[in-house]
């Protein structure tokens, strides 16, 4: 009994403290109701009808009728059986939904013109200007032959797709209507992580659904759209929210809801929006020119891992490692080389390799930018004139490759015409390349092919049978003899970068040279 009183008193104190805390929080929480009432007239529902692809033969290994069409499209695009977006099996998917055949929304009947040969995509959008321009996601209206916009006052209007940009996932629509309420755009330089945000859209066809959360992070770079530094939010975004606005507490649009990161296809607390400054710039270019012009350097870069940072004598993993310089590119003309580590772009730090593509893409072709880089342990400043990215004529570049590849054991046995190792044992069996092998590997000149990978530093670095070794510690390798010379001069215990060609793509790996003895 004697312990009861203290327990009760403690409980009373906790109750009083909780009540005081709740009172303080309720006084400081935002008034979402007034905000929703003020901005809802600027939000629209979008439905797009397009010709459906030819029916595919059903896969007996896949459950039928359980996976929504929009998720099937995403899985088909990124490869069935893979886990895009994360090594843990997570996936990054669009927030757009679709239905086919005679499916209809819970609020209204099915489209009378929609037959088995058509497919309907459902999404959201918002009024960009009072003269009828509307912003949404490109994937909402992709390949659409008919687009319908439904306003908050229930007017349904046909829309024209002025233009779209797949790289930014932005589309600009135009409707002929009066009495429209346009949104206000936020100043993104004043937007901070932790700010309250509000999403309005049509998830699962439930019009004008409101969800709230905060900005969880800024500048997120995803493999799906490398030219967009996304806003991450925990406001609930689901299929059908795509293209809808993300508002701040002033009623200004800070982003265009675009993607979710999920293991199920539904919301799991991580969603992504396109920053409104980027979306608005894309919209302006689409309106004025019908297309978007982006800057181009002509480099393929990869992430700098901890081991690679050590091999390049960097104090920490940072920057963008140049794995390849493309021919006839601004980068080649400026003298950039494979093995350069780009640390700053026009004065801005490159935290990771994924920081580079948005900065390059946002640059104006013809402008001269300054690159600060590390080459052979020395800091160098290079000026380079930005080119124009032309997706029709140029190979993909200024892109970021994946992180350290999986460590897969090489094939056992010894390849024909293989050379014995010289110098420190790396566990590798190598051979000269024939002209046919060089052409197949997309190697212009030089290189030796790894025939087998045994136990040792090579396997630990992630080397695989079939890789073509191009350089070791910055030294070119063009024959078995040269390979032996370079390996023989490696310092025991040192970590050095090794450039290989794997399945037609360049890749740097960090090789730990074994110590003596």
């Amino acid at each position: 009994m004697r312990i009861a009183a203290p327990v009760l008193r403690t409980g009373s104190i906790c109750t009083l403290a909780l009540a005081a805390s709740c009172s303080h929080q309720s006084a400081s929480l935002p008034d979402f109701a007034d905000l929703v009432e003020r901005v809802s007239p600027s939000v629209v529902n979008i439905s797009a009808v397009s010709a459906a692809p030819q029916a595919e033969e059903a896969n007996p290994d896949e459950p039928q009728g359980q996976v929504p069409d929009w998720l099937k499209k995403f899985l088909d695009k990124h490869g069935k059986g893979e886990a895009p977006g994360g090594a843990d099996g997570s996936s990054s998917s669009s927030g757009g939904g679709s239905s086919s055949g005679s499916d209809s929304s819970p609020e209204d009947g099915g489209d009378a013109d929609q037959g088995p040969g058509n497919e309907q995509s459902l999404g959201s959008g918002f009024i960009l200007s009072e003269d009828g321009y509307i912003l949404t996601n490109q994937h909402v209206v992709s390949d659409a032959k008919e687009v319908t916009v439904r306003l908050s006052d229930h007017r349904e209007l046909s829309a024209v797709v002025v233009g779209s940009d797949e790289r930014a996932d932005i589309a600009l629509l135009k409707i002929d209507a009066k009495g429209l309420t346009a949104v206000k755009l936020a100043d993104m330089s004043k937007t901070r992580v932790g700010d309250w945000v509000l999403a309005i859209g049509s998830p699962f066809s439930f019009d004008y659904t409101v969800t709230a959360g905060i900005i969880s992070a800024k500048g997120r770079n995803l493999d799906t759209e490398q030219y967009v530094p996304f806003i991450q939010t925990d406001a609930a975004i689901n299929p059908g929210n795509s293209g809808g606005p993300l508002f701040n507490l002033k009623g200004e649009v800070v982003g265009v809801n675009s993607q979710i990161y999920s293991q199920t296809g539904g919301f799991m607390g991580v969603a992504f929006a396109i920053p409104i400054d980027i979306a608005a710039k894309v919209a302006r270019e689409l309106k004025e020119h019908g297309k978007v012009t982006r800057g181009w350097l002509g480099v393929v870069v990869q992430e700098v891992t901890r081991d690679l940072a050590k091999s390049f004598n960097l104090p920490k993993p940072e920057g963008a490692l140049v794995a390849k310089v493309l021919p006839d590119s601004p980068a080649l003309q400026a003298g950039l080389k494979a093995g350069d580590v780009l640390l700053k772009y026009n004065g801005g730090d490159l935290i990771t390799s994924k920081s580079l593509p948005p900065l390059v893409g946002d640059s104006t072709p013809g402008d001269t930018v300054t690159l600060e880089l590390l080459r052979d342990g020395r800091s160098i400043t290079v000026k380079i004139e930005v080119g124009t990215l032309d997706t029709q004529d140029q190979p993909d570049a200024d892109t970021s490759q994946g992180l350290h590849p999986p460590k897969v054991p090489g094939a056992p046995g010894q390849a024909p015409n293989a050379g014995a190792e010289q110098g420190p044992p790396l566990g590798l069996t190598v051979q000269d390349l024939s002209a046919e092998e060089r052409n197949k590997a997309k190697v212009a000149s030089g290189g030796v092919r790894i025939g087998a990978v045994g136990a040792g530093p090579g396997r630990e670095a992630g080397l695989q049978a079939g890789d073509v070794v191009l350089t070791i510690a910055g030294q070119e390798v063009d024959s078995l003899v040269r390979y032996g010379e370079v390996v023989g001069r490696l310092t025991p215990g040192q970590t050095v970068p090794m450039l290989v060609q794997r399945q037609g793509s360049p890749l740097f790996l960090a090789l730990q040279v074994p110590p003596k003895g």
Side-chain angles (χ1 to χ4, degrees), residues 21-384:
S21 174
C22 290
S23 175
H24 174 72
Q25 291 178 4
S26 62
S28 60
L29 285 176
D31 185 352
F32 290 122
D34 289 344
L35 175 60
V36 172
E37 186 176 347
R38 188 167 76 252
V39 301
S40 286
S42 302
V43 184
V44 301
N45 171 275
I46 296 174
S47 61
V49 178
S50 60
Q54 294 182 352
E56 298 181 358
E57 185 177 348
N59 186 342
D61 296 328
E62 293 181 350
Q64 301 299 314
Q66 298 179 16
V67 182
D69 291 341
W70 67 269
L71 183 55
K72 288 180 182 177
K73 287 182 183 178
F74 175 82
L75 293 174
D76 289 339
K77 178 180 179 181
H78 292 276
K80 295 179 181 179
E82 299 178 358
D88 59 352
S90 302
S91 65
S92 176
S93 61
S94 300
S98 66
S99 58
S100 59
S102 59
D103 291 352
S104 59
S105 73
E107 299 182 2
D108 55 297
D111 192 324
D113 295 331
Q114 186 180 344
N118 295 323
E119 188 171 272
Q120 185 172 10
S121 172
L122 304 175
S124 306
F126 54 93
I127 301 170
L128 192 61
S129 59
E130 294 180 356
D131 55 353
Y133 284 97
I134 291 173
L135 209 58
T136 187
N137 282 146
Q138 184 270 346
H139 71 259
V140 172
V141 297
S142 178
D143 301 322
K145 67 177 183 178
E146 178 183 335
V147 178
T148 301
V149 171
R150 185 166 63 214
L151 306 178
S152 62
D153 59 9
H154 303 295
R155 281 184 289 172
E156 294 192 7
L157 305 165
S158 294
V160 175
V161 179
V162 176
S164 63
D165 181 59
E166 185 176 4
R167 286 183 179 273
D169 194 19
I170 289 293
L172 182 65
L173 313 181
K174 180 70 166 66
I175 59 174
D176 185 9
K178 296 182 179 180
L180 301 177
T181 302
V183 298
K184 295 180 180 180
L185 307 185
D187 181 352
M188 293 306 296
S189 65
K190 298 179 181 178
T191 301
R192 302 184 302 168
V193 174
D195 284 349
W196 282 98
V197 286
L198 193 78
I200 303 179
S202 304
F204 306 109
S205 300
F206 292 105
D207 286 355
Y208 296 93
T209 296
V210 180
T211 57
I214 63 169
I215 294 178
S216 305
K218 294 175 62 180
R220 290 291 195 211
N221 300 109
L222 308 180
D223 291 335
T224 49
E225 277 91 19
Q226 298 197 43
Y227 289 93
V228 179
F230 284 91
I231 297 170
Q232 180 184 330
T233 179
D234 65 350
I237 305 297
N238 283 292
N241 274 113
S242 278
L246 191 67
F247 291 101
N248 62 19
L249 292 185
K250 294 180 181 179
E252 302 166 332
V253 176
V254 298
V256 183
N257 299 319
S258 177
Q259 299 193 36
I260 57 176
Y261 198 77
S262 175
Q263 294 176 311
T264 64
F267 179 69
M268 294 185 68
V270 181
F272 301 97
I274 302 162
I276 193 58
D277 55 345
I278 291 177
K281 181 181 179 181
V282 169
R284 283 194 301 271
E285 293 198 38
L286 292 175
K287 180 180 178 181
E288 296 172 3
H289 309 293
K291 64 177 183 178
V292 177
T293 301
R294 288 186 172 85
W296 180 64
L297 293 185
V299 292
V300 177
V301 296
Q302 73 176 80
E303 196 75 4
V304 178
T305 63
R306 183 180 64 178
D307 290 338
L308 282 173
K310 184 178 179 181
S311 72
F312 284 102
N313 296 317
L314 284 168
K316 62 180 179 180
E318 62 178 338
L321 173 58
V322 177
K324 183 178 182 180
V325 178
L326 298 181
D328 301 321
S329 66
L332 183 65
Q333 295 174 7
L336 293 188
K337 300 178 180 180
D340 288 345
V341 181
L342 310 183
L343 299 175
K344 289 190 176 183
Y345 184 89
N346 250 6
D349 292 334
L350 298 175
I351 305 302
T352 70
S353 63
K354 292 182 179 180
S355 304
L356 181 65
L359 295 175
V360 176
D362 195 47
S363 300
T364 302
D367 284 357
T368 299
V369 298
T370 302
L371 287 174
E372 295 183 31
L373 57 92
L374 188 73
R375 177 184 295 169
D376 299 328
R378 296 181 295 112
S379 296
I380 298 177
T381 299
V382 176
K383 291 189 179 297
I384 180 170

